Amino acid sequence: MASNNPLTLSIDAMGGDEAPEMVIDGLEIAAGENPRLRFLLFGDEAKLSPLVDARPAVKKVTTVRHAPDVVGSGDKPAIALRSGRQSSMRFAINAVADGEADAVISAGNTGALMAMAKFVLKTLPGIDRPAIATYFPTIRGATVMLDLGANVDCNEDNLVQFAVMGEVYARNVSGIENPSIGLLNVGQEDLKGNQAVRGAAEILRTCGLPIDFYGFVEGDDIAKGTVDVIVTDGFTGNVALKTAEGMSSLFGFLLKDALTSSFFAKLGALIARPALMRFKDKFDPRKYNGAMFVGLNGICVKSHGGTDGVGFANAISVALTLVSNNFNEGIKEDVAKLLIDDDPVTTPEDDSQSPEAATS
Amino acid sequence: MASNNPLTLSIDAMGGDEAPEMVIDGLEIAAGENPRLRFLLFGDEAKLSPLVDARPAVKKVTTVRHAPDVVGSGDKPAIALRSGRQSSMRFAINAVADGEADAVISAGNTGALMAMAKFVLKTLPGIDRPAIATYFPTIRGATVMLDLGANVDCNEDNLVQFAVMGEVYARNVSGIENPSIGLLNVGQEDLKGNQAVRGAAEILRTCGLPIDFYGFVEGDDIAKGTVDVIVTDGFTGNVALKTAEGMSSLFGFLLKDALTSSFFAKLGALIARPALMRFKDKFDPRKYNGAMFVGLNGICVKSHGGTDGVGFANAISVALTLVSNNFNEGIKEDVAKLLIDDDPVTTPEDDSQSPEAATS
């Protein structure tokens, strides 16, 4: 891909608490950072056109396409899949399937987005189930973690496929030469954990792929940055991610409370303000906004529904990074090796396209 | 129990990284705080006697009992159970079973302690599996959370029993009149989650016990303090607890880094030092040391292996609180009600006493 070619992103304008205004804010920021960007913006044309017209920098690179329906944030995925065929979310995904756009970004209903993306884009060859991945701030920098909620129940093959996808991500997108992979567990010893993690560890140790499999890691290894990629089932991953977010909020709340508790506390905080602001910035959730749906035959990024323009622009940059680094080609190559080598990963009977898998 | 009667605690002197010295430090602190305490101290008499003799305050209330063996921190639970019959851990548990002590405290190998405690003390009537519970700091105060690792795979009945035990804990020990119970899940809607959490929610909604069942909570509700008791399986609970610990460390590390990054940062931190120290104190892991093994026919508290005397003394106070508040009598009463009402909880075929259940 020549570096001056335009990159077209398909945007669901109607997803998110403050949509469509915050989406347009995000487009403006992203367009300002990257002149190659073009947007296909799906949603209520009557609402969108005046907003776009008011921002010349957005208008110049955006095509508004009308979608009559909106997927609600509380809609069940199976219902959204059936009745949301005319929704902004569905139209935005279709644009990737039709080759009109290089990636789709939505801040809408996660379960509905996963169900629709899986139905429309299909999974990559050798991948039974897509997963949700994101960056996690650590002492060393940032770790990729997956699955964060697409698959509540995972077997060993699912976890192995997540490991392969995470490895490709860390190598091709984060640029880590030989990324280490850890399986999240309740202890480091071989005997620990449930059947799925023990089975996945056995496959990863013996599958012959050139993967740096570290072994089991525990919850505190996430923030330590012990490994470059953390693999877990969607139930545990979702709880761990939200537990960490909750701890960040608790810490921020109590720190603010402490630093406003007395005259001297306030004075000290004022003097140390630049350092404290840099510290706060490291935990800014907008910096980590943009969860990647990996394992699909197309790039799909989910923005947090409660974010603002800065966060939405970050989700756009996540999608851009995936497109620019040929993320999906890397996965296809590695999975193909796995299939040729000893076929431990394919379980054809599990290759369901049921949207139910994404309900949680 | 008359308030001047002595309370006898059985202590495994040999468990923990800095044992037995830190254990003796802990006894000294605890004895200074509560004149009713008496200790049965199990371990290598040749090592223990000089240490105890050197501390008159400890010596006055402690009986040293020799145990020739020590359970290693890496020993597998099943092995420890078979070959650790002469260990300080086993002797300390036996003292509770024999009625010599009101509770046992150990900073040794968690899996071995659970396996031995389960084998020697047995579970309470109506409880299939004991769980590990602890306090978790929150914005509102502290929440009780269980299971934290005793049971990697849990079915709906196990989760319901954990809920009953957690409810009794919050009511009898924390003194909360009508504690709210939340089931940890990946979303709040009824359809979310795996079979175990959905099934447990259904039972808790319909079982007729006077329990304030809040419904599902998510990871960020832990630190928010949304409910008084959080119920989860041991895999998820262990990962969540350690993820939170890791986030605390990350936050502390980065804050210290920020506040030493420049002259003004250092000056500000110096001026705000009392407030910052109070803030740091809120996250002192020693304050939350002492995990309760709940559901056993006897009080057993596990101290963190890496703690010091202050932390061990806190684990002792956790045991004391359980003893003083007749924790186990409360569980027996509530479980009996559950059994009489509609028997949704008992699954006799699952009443295994296998030590394997505690291996993780």
Side-chain angles (χ1 to χ4, degrees), chain A residues 7-28:
Chain A
L7 288 166
T8 304
L9 302 182
S10 174
I11 310 285
D12 170 12
M14 309 308 282
D17 302 346
E18 304 295 329
E21 289 79 4
M22 77 83 184
V23 172
I24 312 287
D25 290 345
L27 299 191
E28 185 164 33

Side-chain angles (χ1 to χ4, degrees), chain B residues 142-205:
Chain B
T143 288
V144 177
M145 186 160 150
L146 73 169
D147 174 32
L148 300 172
N151 310 282
V152 165
D153 295 301
C154 290
N155 62 26
E156 55 192 45
D157 292 334
N158 301 138
L159 294 175
V160 169
Q161 292 167 19
F162 298 166
V164 169
M165 296 193 286
E167 201 269 349
V168 173
Y169 188 88
R171 190 156 36 83
N172 285 16
V173 183
S174 309
I176 299 167
E177 202 172 327
N178 189 23
S180 53
I181 317 288
L183 267 174
L184 195 56
N185 199 350
V186 297
Q188 304 220 331
E189 303 82 0
D190 289 357
L191 274 173
K192 294 276 184 178
N194 54 36
Q195 181 49 43
V197 294
R198 288 200 306 255
E202 180 62 24
I203 296 175
L204 287 169
R205 275 194 207 99

Side-chain angles (χ1 to χ4, degrees), chain A residues 147-205:
Chain A
D147 175 31
L148 299 173
N151 309 281
V152 165
D153 295 302
C154 290
N155 63 26
E156 55 193 45
D157 292 335
N158 301 138
L159 294 175
V160 168
Q161 293 167 18
F162 298 166
V164 169
M165 295 192 287
E167 202 268 349
V168 172
Y169 188 88
R171 189 156 38 81
N172 286 17
V173 183
S174 310
I176 299 167
E177 201 171 327
N178 190 24
S180 53
I181 317 287
L183 266 174
L184 194 55
N185 199 349
V186 297
Q188 306 220 332
E189 303 82 1
D190 288 356
L191 273 173
K192 294 276 184 178
N194 53 34
Q195 181 50 42
V197 293
R198 289 199 306 257
E202 181 62 24
I203 296 174
L204 288 169
R205 276 193 206 97

Side-chain angles (χ1 to χ4, degrees), chain B residues 15 43 50 95 124 136 159 186-187 193 244 251 282 293 309:
Chain B
L124 288 170
F136 208 99
L159 294 175
V186 297
F251 226 94
K282 285 194 179 150
F293 286 6

Side-chain angles (χ1 to χ4, degrees), chain A residues 108-318:
Chain A
N109 179 329
T110 309
L113 184 65
M114 178 57 95
M116 280 188 186
K118 199 175 165 186
F119 178 79
V120 173
L121 301 172
K122 313 295 185 215
T123 53
L124 287 169
I127 299 295
D128 297 320
R129 296 190 189 174
I132 301 177
T134 194
Y135 278 115
F136 208 99
T138 76
I139 287 178
R140 284 173 57 221
T143 289
V144 178
M145 187 160 152
L146 72 170
D147 175 31
L148 299 173
N151 309 281
V152 165
D153 295 302
C154 290
N155 63 26
E156 55 193 45
D157 292 335
N158 301 138
L159 294 175
V160 168
Q161 293 167 18
F162 298 166
V164 169
M165 295 192 287
E167 202 268 349
V168 172
Y169 188 88
R171 189 156 38 81
N172 286 17
V173 183
S174 310
I176 299 167
E177 201 171 327
N178 190 24
S180 53
I181 317 287
L183 266 174
L184 194 55
N185 199 349
V186 297
Q188 306 220 332
E189 303 82 1
D190 288 356
L191 273 173
K192 294 276 184 178
N194 53 34
Q195 181 50 42
V197 293
R198 289 199 306 257
E202 181 62 24
I203 296 174
L204 288 169
R205 276 193 206 97
T206 58
C207 67
L209 267 187
I211 278 185
D212 178 12
F213 177 55
Y214 176 91
F216 295 137
V217 292
E218 299 185 66
D220 51 338
D221 288 304
I222 302 174
K224 275 184 197 159
T226 304
V227 290
D228 299 307
V229 180
I230 291 198
V231 174
T232 186
D233 66 89
F235 193 94
T236 313
N238 185 281
V239 168
L241 178 75
K242 288 181 180 161
T243 299
E245 287 173 354
M247 286 301 288
S248 270
S249 301
L250 174 64
F251 223 92
F253 173 85
L254 292 177
L255 182 59
K256 193 174 173 188
D257 194 50
L259 291 176
T260 53
S261 62
S262 72
F263 170 75
F264 285 108
K266 285 179 196 168
L267 178 65
L270 191 67
I271 294 170
R273 190 176 155 81
L276 287 169
M277 292 310 288
R278 279 197 306 277
F279 168 74
K280 190 183 168 192
D281 188 52
K282 283 192 180 152
F283 286 91
D284 185 346
R286 297 179 303 182
K287 284 182 62 177
Y288 297 93
N289 187 38
M292 307 155 271
F293 286 5
V294 300
L296 292 169
N297 203 7
I299 306 287
C300 180
V301 169
K302 165 71 172 72
S303 162
H304 200 290
T307 197
D308 61 9
V310 174
F312 198 84
N314 199 71
I316 289 174
S317 81
V318 167

Side-chain angles (χ1 to χ4, degrees), chain B:
Chain B
M1 190 181 299
S3 64
N4 289 323
N5 282 355
L7 289 165
T8 305
L9 301 182
S10 174
I11 310 286
D12 170 11
M14 310 308 282
D17 301 346
E18 304 295 330
E21 289 78 5
M22 76 82 182
V23 173
I24 313 286
D25 290 345
L27 299 190
E28 187 166 33
I29 296 167
E33 289 170 353
N34 191 330
R36 295 169 65 197
L37 282 181
R38 303 290 177 272
F39 301 116
L40 292 179
L41 188 63
F42 294 90
D44 182 345
E45 194 166 18
K47 278 190 189 165
L48 295 179
S49 290
L51 289 171
V52 169
D53 289 346
R55 315 269 185 118
V58 176
K59 188 175 165 63
K60 210 174 67 179
V61 294
T62 301
T63 308
V64 175
R65 299 250 184 106
H66 184 63
D69 295 338
V70 175
V71 173
S73 61
D75 291 359
K76 285 175 188 150
I79 306 290
L81 191 58
R82 273 200 299 275
S83 62
R85 292 194 185 89
Q86 304 288 312
S87 65
S88 57
M89 184 183 278
R90 178 66 178 269
F91 282 6
I93 296 169
N94 289 349
V96 172
D98 298 343
E100 283 197 285
D102 297 299
V104 52
I105 298 109
S106 172
N109 178 328
T110 309
L113 184 64
M114 179 55 96
M116 280 188 186
K118 199 174 165 185
F119 180 79
V120 174
L121 301 173
K122 313 294 186 218
T123 52
L124 288 170
I127 299 295
D128 297 320
R129 297 187 187 176
I132 302 177
T134 195
Y135 278 115
F136 208 99
T138 75
I139 287 179
R140 282 175 56 219
T143 288
V144 177
M145 186 160 150
L146 73 169
D147 174 32
L148 300 172
N151 310 282
V152 165
D153 295 301
C154 290
N155 62 26
E156 55 192 45
D157 292 334
N158 301 138
L159 294 175
V160 169
Q161 292 167 19
F162 298 166
V164 169
M165 296 193 286
E167 201 269 349
V168 173
Y169 188 88
R171 190 156 36 83
N172 285 16
V173 183
S174 309
I176 299 167
E177 202 172 327
N178 189 23
S180 53
I181 317 288
L183 267 174
L184 195 56
N185 199 350
V186 297
Q188 304 220 331
E189 303 82 0
D190 289 357
L191 274 173
K192 294 276 184 178
N194 54 36
Q195 181 49 43
V197 294
R198 288 200 306 255
E202 180 62 24
I203 296 175
L204 287 169
R205 275 194 207 99
T206 58
C207 68
L209 267 187
I211 280 184
D212 179 12
F213 177 56
Y214 176 91
F216 295 137
V217 293
E218 299 186 65
D220 52 337
D221 289 305
I222 301 173
K224 275 184 199 160
T226 305
V227 289
D228 299 307
V229 180
I230 291 198
V231 174
T232 185
D233 67 89
F235 192 94
T236 313
N238 185 282
V239 168
L241 179 74
K242 288 180 179 161
T243 299
E245 288 172 355
M247 285 301 287
S248 270
S249 301
L250 173 64
F251 226 94
F253 173 86
L254 292 177
L255 182 60
K256 194 175 173 184
D257 195 50
L259 291 176
T260 54
S261 62
S262 71
F263 170 75
F264 285 109
K266 285 179 197 168
L267 178 65
L270 191 68
I271 293 170
R273 189 176 154 80
L276 287 170
M277 292 310 288
R278 280 197 305 276
F279 168 73
K280 190 182 167 193
D281 188 54
K282 285 194 179 150
F283 286 90
D284 185 346
R286 299 179 303 180
K287 284 181 62 176
Y288 297 94
N289 187 38
M292 307 154 270
F293 286 6
V294 299
L296 293 168
N297 202 7
I299 306 287
C300 181
V301 170
K302 166 69 171 73
S303 162
H304 201 290
T307 197
D308 61 9
V310 174
F312 198 84
N314 200 71
I316 289 175
S317 81
V318 168
L320 265 182
T321 313
L322 291 168
V323 173
S324 311
N325 291 284
N326 293 317
F327 175 54
N328 278 349
E329 290 308 310
I331 293 180
K332 278 188 212 169
E333 283 168 24
D334 265 30
V335 172
K337 276 185 220 156
L338 205 54
L339 297 178
I340 290 165
D341 282 0
D342 53 3
D343 197 17
V345 169
T346 44
T347 48
E349 75 277 15
D350 191 40
D351 190 16
S352 68
Q353 289 292 334
S354 153
E356 298 307 321
T359 52
S360 308

